[in-house]
PDB file of all heavy atoms in Angstrom:
ATOM      1  N   ARG C   1      -1.507 194.634   7.043  1.00 39.00           N
ATOM      2  CA  ARG C   1      -2.055 195.481   8.081  1.00 39.00           C
ATOM      3  C   ARG C   1      -3.638 195.328   8.176  1.00 39.00           C
ATOM      4  O   ARG C   1      -4.244 194.928   7.116  1.00 39.00           O
ATOM      5  CB  ARG C   1      -1.621 196.908   8.055  1.00 39.00           C
ATOM      6  CG  ARG C   1      -2.271 197.461   6.710  1.00 39.00           C
ATOM      7  CD  ARG C   1      -1.802 198.984   6.653  1.00 39.00           C
ATOM      8  NE  ARG C   1      -2.382 199.743   5.461  1.00 39.00           N
ATOM      9  CZ  ARG C   1      -2.035 199.465   4.228  1.00 39.00           C
ATOM     10  NH1 ARG C   1      -0.919 198.765   3.910  1.00 39.00           N
ATOM     11  NH2 ARG C   1      -2.601 200.163   3.155  1.00 39.00           N
ATOM     12  N   PRO C   2      -4.309 195.537   9.315  1.00 39.00           N
ATOM     13  CA  PRO C   2      -5.652 195.316   9.294  1.00 39.00           C
ATOM     14  C   PRO C   2      -6.384 196.187   8.204  1.00 39.00           C
ATOM     15  O   PRO C   2      -6.062 197.452   8.073  1.00 39.00           O
ATOM     16  CB  PRO C   2      -6.157 195.861  10.721  1.00 39.00           C
ATOM     17  CG  PRO C   2      -4.832 195.715  11.520  1.00 39.00           C
ATOM     18  CD  PRO C   2      -3.702 195.861  10.541  1.00 39.00           C
ATOM     19  N   GLY C   3      -7.294 195.556   7.601  1.00 42.00           N
ATOM     20  CA  GLY C   3      -7.956 196.319   6.385  1.00 42.00           C
ATOM     21  C   GLY C   3      -7.239 196.396   5.152  1.00 42.00           C
ATOM     22  O   GLY C   3      -7.773 196.987   4.245  1.00 42.00           O
ATOM     23  N   ALA C   4      -5.956 195.895   5.224  1.00 39.00           N
ATOM     24  CA  ALA C   4      -5.299 196.008   3.928  1.00 39.00           C
ATOM     25  C   ALA C   4      -5.852 195.008   2.858  1.00 39.00           C
ATOM     26  O   ALA C   4      -6.198 193.803   3.101  1.00 39.00           O
ATOM     27  CB  ALA C   4      -3.777 195.677   4.135  1.00 39.00           C
ATOM     28  N   GLY C   5      -6.048 195.449   1.624  1.00 39.00           N
ATOM     29  CA  GLY C   5      -6.400 194.596   0.704  1.00 39.00           C
ATOM     30  C   GLY C   5      -5.506 194.424  -0.571  1.00 39.00           C
ATOM     31  O   GLY C   5      -4.286 194.891  -0.321  1.00 39.00           O
ATOM     32  N   PRO C   6      -5.863 193.930  -1.630  1.00 39.00           N
ATOM     33  CA  PRO C   6      -4.921 193.817  -2.731  1.00 39.00           C
ATOM     34  C   PRO C   6      -4.515 195.090  -3.347  1.00 39.00           C
ATOM     35  O   PRO C   6      -5.259 196.048  -3.161  1.00 39.00           O
ATOM     36  CB  PRO C   6      -5.809 192.782  -3.790  1.00 39.00           C
ATOM     37  CG  PRO C   6      -7.148 193.231  -3.466  1.00 39.00           C
ATOM     38  CD  PRO C   6      -7.289 193.371  -1.964  1.00 39.00           C
ATOM     39  N   SER C   7      -3.540 195.197  -4.005  1.00 41.00           N
ATOM     40  CA  SER C   7      -3.010 196.461  -4.642  1.00 41.00           C
ATOM     41  C   SER C   7      -4.103 196.955  -5.736  1.00 41.00           C
ATOM     42  O   SER C   7      -4.860 196.306  -6.267  1.00 41.00           O
ATOM     43  CB  SER C   7      -1.753 196.236  -5.396  1.00 41.00           C
ATOM     44  OG  SER C   7      -1.950 195.315  -6.491  1.00 41.00           O
ATOM     45  N   ARG C   8      -4.113 198.354  -5.671  1.00 43.00           N
ATOM     46  CA  ARG C   8      -5.160 198.976  -6.406  1.00 43.00           C
ATOM     47  C   ARG C   8      -4.481 199.142  -7.950  1.00 43.00           C
ATOM     48  O   ARG C   8      -3.564 199.603  -8.131  1.00 43.00           O
ATOM     49  CB  ARG C   8      -5.476 200.313  -5.973  1.00 43.00           C
ATOM     50  CG  ARG C   8      -6.223 200.275  -4.652  1.00 43.00           C
ATOM     51  CD  ARG C   8      -6.070 201.658  -3.954  1.00 43.00           C
ATOM     52  NE  ARG C   8      -6.735 202.658  -4.616  1.00 43.00           N
ATOM     53  CZ  ARG C   8      -8.141 202.934  -4.430  1.00 43.00           C
ATOM     54  NH1 ARG C   8      -8.896 202.153  -3.629  1.00 43.00           N
ATOM     55  NH2 ARG C   8      -8.634 203.956  -5.140  1.00 43.00           N
ATOM     56  N   GLY C   9      -5.453 198.870  -8.855  1.00 43.00           N
ATOM     57  CA  GLY C   9      -5.115 198.999 -10.299  1.00 43.00           C
ATOM     58  C   GLY C   9      -5.601 200.204 -10.848  1.00 43.00           C
ATOM     59  O   GLY C   9      -6.204 201.138 -10.117  1.00 43.00           O
ATOM     60  N   ARG C  10      -5.535 200.404 -12.146  1.00 44.00           N
ATOM     61  CA  ARG C  10      -5.952 201.571 -12.758  1.00 44.00           C
ATOM     62  C   ARG C  10      -7.413 201.913 -12.628  1.00 44.00           C
ATOM     63  O   ARG C  10      -7.927 203.009 -12.338  1.00 44.00           O
ATOM     64  CB  ARG C  10      -5.542 201.672 -14.318  1.00 44.00           C
ATOM     65  CG  ARG C  10      -4.165 201.744 -14.584  1.00 44.00           C
ATOM     66  CD  ARG C  10      -3.859 201.877 -16.070  1.00 44.00           C
ATOM     67  NE  ARG C  10      -4.536 203.119 -16.744  1.00 44.00           N
ATOM     68  CZ  ARG C  10      -4.619 203.253 -17.946  1.00 44.00           C
ATOM     69  NH1 ARG C  10      -4.075 202.526 -18.792  1.00 44.00           N
ATOM     70  NH2 ARG C  10      -5.211 204.400 -18.373  1.00 44.00           N
ATOM     71  N   GLY C  11      -8.272 200.766 -12.797  1.00 46.00           N
ATOM     72  CA  GLY C  11      -9.704 200.957 -12.575  1.00 46.00           C
ATOM     73  C   GLY C  11     -10.009 201.383 -11.102  1.00 46.00           C
ATOM     74  O   GLY C  11     -10.969 202.172 -10.928  1.00 46.00           O
ATOM     75  N   ASP C  12      -9.311 200.892 -10.194  1.00 45.00           N
ATOM     76  CA  ASP C  12      -9.628 201.355  -8.868  1.00 45.00           C
ATOM     77  C   ASP C  12      -9.225 202.742  -8.703  1.00 45.00           C
ATOM     78  O   ASP C  12      -9.951 203.620  -7.899  1.00 45.00           O
ATOM     79  CB  ASP C  12      -8.709 200.533  -7.790  1.00 45.00           C
ATOM     80  CG  ASP C  12      -9.057 199.009  -7.878  1.00 45.00           C
ATOM     81  OD1 ASP C  12     -10.285 198.657  -7.989  1.00 45.00           O
ATOM     82  OD2 ASP C  12      -8.179 198.119  -7.870  1.00 45.00           O
ATOM     83  N   ARG C  13      -8.237 203.252  -9.242  1.00 46.00           N
ATOM     84  CA  ARG C  13      -7.826 204.661  -9.141  1.00 46.00           C
ATOM     85  C   ARG C  13      -8.811 205.517  -9.759  1.00 46.00           C
ATOM     86  O   ARG C  13      -9.204 206.514  -9.251  1.00 46.00           O
ATOM     87  CB  ARG C  13      -6.424 204.878  -9.778  1.00 46.00           C
ATOM     88  CG  ARG C  13      -5.289 204.342  -8.917  1.00 46.00           C
ATOM     89  CD  ARG C  13      -3.944 204.875  -9.291  1.00 46.00           C
ATOM     90  NE  ARG C  13      -3.687 204.504 -10.676  1.00 46.00           N
ATOM     91  CZ  ARG C  13      -3.034 203.540 -11.010  1.00 46.00           C
ATOM     92  NH1 ARG C  13      -2.568 202.628 -10.067  1.00 46.00           N
ATOM     93  NH2 ARG C  13      -2.692 203.237 -12.333  1.00 46.00           N
ATOM     94  N   ARG C  14      -9.512 205.146 -10.872  1.00 48.00           N
ATOM     95  CA  ARG C  14     -10.467 205.925 -11.514  1.00 48.00           C
ATOM     96  C   ARG C  14     -11.834 206.085 -10.677  1.00 48.00           C
ATOM     97  O   ARG C  14     -12.384 207.051 -10.498  1.00 48.00           O
ATOM     98  CB  ARG C  14     -10.786 205.243 -12.874  1.00 48.00           C
ATOM     99  CG  ARG C  14      -9.681 205.467 -13.921  1.00 48.00           C
ATOM    100  CD  ARG C  14     -10.152 204.874 -15.239  1.00 48.00           C
ATOM    101  NE  ARG C  14      -9.181 204.891 -16.209  1.00 48.00           N
ATOM    102  CZ  ARG C  14      -8.953 206.031 -16.929  1.00 48.00           C
ATOM    103  NH1 ARG C  14      -9.614 207.121 -16.930  1.00 48.00           N
ATOM    104  NH2 ARG C  14      -7.858 205.998 -17.801  1.00 48.00           N
ATOM    105  N   ASP C  15     -12.161 204.880 -10.060  1.00 47.00           N
ATOM    106  CA  ASP C  15     -13.262 204.891  -9.167  1.00 47.00           C
ATOM    107  C   ASP C  15     -12.998 205.757  -7.942  1.00 47.00           C
ATOM    108  O   ASP C  15     -13.975 206.601  -7.499  1.00 47.00           O
ATOM    109  CB  ASP C  15     -13.585 203.537  -8.639  1.00 47.00           C
ATOM    110  CG  ASP C  15     -14.059 202.543  -9.678  1.00 47.00           C
ATOM    111  OD1 ASP C  15     -14.410 203.118 -10.701  1.00 47.00           O
ATOM    112  OD2 ASP C  15     -14.028 201.361  -9.565  1.00 47.00           O
ATOM    113  N   GLY C  16     -11.756 205.747  -7.329  1.00 48.00           N
ATOM    114  CA  GLY C  16     -11.478 206.704  -6.348  1.00 48.00           C
ATOM    115  C   GLY C  16     -11.493 208.193  -6.653  1.00 48.00           C
ATOM    116  O   GLY C  16     -11.914 208.984  -5.942  1.00 48.00           O
ATOM    117  N   ASP C  17     -10.963 208.413  -7.892  1.00 47.00           N
ATOM    118  CA  ASP C  17     -11.130 209.809  -8.426  1.00 47.00           C
ATOM    119  C   ASP C  17     -12.496 210.341  -8.564  1.00 47.00           C
ATOM    120  O   ASP C  17     -12.895 211.444  -8.133  1.00 47.00           O
ATOM    121  CB  ASP C  17     -10.473 209.904  -9.780  1.00 47.00           C
ATOM    122  CG  ASP C  17      -8.856 209.701  -9.688  1.00 47.00           C
ATOM    123  OD1 ASP C  17      -8.369 210.027  -8.575  1.00 47.00           O
ATOM    124  OD2 ASP C  17      -8.283 209.363 -10.601  1.00 47.00           O
ATOM    125  N   ARG C  18     -13.439 209.484  -8.989  1.00 49.00           N
ATOM    126  CA  ARG C  18     -14.806 209.887  -9.150  1.00 49.00           C
ATOM    127  C   ARG C  18     -15.461 210.143  -7.810  1.00 49.00           C
ATOM    128  O   ARG C  18     -16.156 211.023  -7.652  1.00 49.00           O
ATOM    129  CB  ARG C  18     -15.586 208.935  -9.952  1.00 49.00           C
ATOM    130  CG  ARG C  18     -15.308 208.923 -11.488  1.00 49.00           C
ATOM    131  CD  ARG C  18     -16.320 208.047 -12.211  1.00 49.00           C
ATOM    132  NE  ARG C  18     -16.028 206.712 -12.142  1.00 49.00           N
ATOM    133  CZ  ARG C  18     -15.255 206.083 -12.962  1.00 49.00           C
ATOM    134  NH1 ARG C  18     -14.816 206.723 -14.124  1.00 49.00           N
ATOM    135  NH2 ARG C  18     -15.012 204.850 -12.785  1.00 49.00           N
ATOM    136  N   ARG C  19     -15.162 209.170  -6.818  1.00 47.00           N
ATOM    137  CA  ARG C  19     -15.785 209.303  -5.506  1.00 47.00           C
ATOM    138  C   ARG C  19     -15.203 210.662  -4.821  1.00 47.00           C
ATOM    139  O   ARG C  19     -16.061 211.336  -3.993  1.00 47.00           O
ATOM    140  CB  ARG C  19     -15.393 208.086  -4.629  1.00 47.00           C
ATOM    141  CG  ARG C  19     -16.265 206.908  -4.972  1.00 47.00           C
ATOM    142  CD  ARG C  19     -16.273 205.909  -3.877  1.00 47.00           C
ATOM    143  NE  ARG C  19     -14.819 205.419  -3.777  1.00 47.00           N
ATOM    144  CZ  ARG C  19     -14.234 204.307  -4.465  1.00 47.00           C
ATOM    145  NH1 ARG C  19     -15.122 203.656  -5.294  1.00 47.00           N
ATOM    146  NH2 ARG C  19     -13.188 203.851  -4.205  1.00 47.00           N
ATOM    147  N   ALA C  20     -13.956 211.013  -5.047  1.00 49.00           N
ATOM    148  CA  ALA C  20     -13.364 212.216  -4.433  1.00 49.00           C
ATOM    149  C   ALA C  20     -13.778 213.452  -5.238  1.00 49.00           C
ATOM    150  O   ALA C  20     -13.257 214.472  -4.760  1.00 49.00           O
ATOM    151  CB  ALA C  20     -11.847 212.131  -4.388  1.00 49.00           C
ATOM    152  N   GLY C  21     -14.433 213.434  -6.291  1.00 54.00           N
ATOM    153  CA  GLY C  21     -14.773 214.558  -7.032  1.00 54.00           C
ATOM    154  C   GLY C  21     -13.765 215.116  -7.965  1.00 54.00           C
ATOM    155  O   GLY C  21     -13.718 216.180  -8.519  1.00 54.00           O
ATOM    156  N   ARG C  22     -12.602 214.299  -8.310  1.00 53.00           N
ATOM    157  CA  ARG C  22     -11.599 214.745  -9.142  1.00 53.00           C
ATOM    158  C   ARG C  22     -11.862 214.223 -10.523  1.00 53.00           C
ATOM    159  O   ARG C  22     -12.314 213.058 -10.686  1.00 53.00           O
ATOM    160  CB  ARG C  22     -10.192 214.065  -8.582  1.00 53.00           C
ATOM    161  CG  ARG C  22      -9.775 214.794  -7.212  1.00 53.00           C
ATOM    162  CD  ARG C  22      -8.344 214.319  -6.892  1.00 53.00           C
ATOM    163  NE  ARG C  22      -8.215 212.726  -6.873  1.00 53.00           N
ATOM    164  CZ  ARG C  22      -8.331 212.179  -5.672  1.00 53.00           C
ATOM    165  NH1 ARG C  22      -8.612 212.852  -4.671  1.00 53.00           N
ATOM    166  NH2 ARG C  22      -8.295 210.743  -5.604  1.00 53.00           N
ATOM    167  N   PRO C  23     -11.478 214.963 -11.514  1.00 54.00           N
ATOM    168  CA  PRO C  23     -11.670 214.361 -12.865  1.00 54.00           C
ATOM    169  C   PRO C  23     -10.721 213.132 -13.034  1.00 54.00           C
ATOM    170  O   PRO C  23      -9.538 213.222 -12.666  1.00 54.00           O
ATOM    171  CB  PRO C  23     -11.278 215.541 -13.780  1.00 54.00           C
ATOM    172  CG  PRO C  23     -10.324 216.399 -12.939  1.00 54.00           C
ATOM    173  CD  PRO C  23     -10.818 216.261 -11.461  1.00 54.00           C
ATOM    174  N   PRO C  24     -11.196 212.131 -13.668  1.00 53.00           N
ATOM    175  CA  PRO C  24     -10.383 210.872 -13.956  1.00 53.00           C
ATOM    176  C   PRO C  24      -9.255 211.325 -15.023  1.00 53.00           C
ATOM    177  O   PRO C  24      -9.490 212.217 -15.737  1.00 53.00           O
ATOM    178  CB  PRO C  24     -11.340 209.891 -14.486  1.00 53.00           C
ATOM    179  CG  PRO C  24     -12.532 210.698 -15.188  1.00 53.00           C
ATOM    180  CD  PRO C  24     -12.590 211.930 -14.281  1.00 53.00           C
TER     181      PRO C  24
END
């Protein structure tokens, strides 16, 4: 789909948690 990228790994999820203010 437009804007779809490769699947997110554990490192990607940690970065997303930090950006969202959630504890990793």
Side-chain angles (χ1 to χ4, degrees):
R1 61 183 185 277
S7 60
R8 293 163 64 90
R10 289 186 61 187
D12 299 319
R13 290 196 295 271
R14 291 180 182 276
D15 293 339
D17 290 335
R18 280 193 285 268
R19 286 194 296 268
R22 296 189 297 268

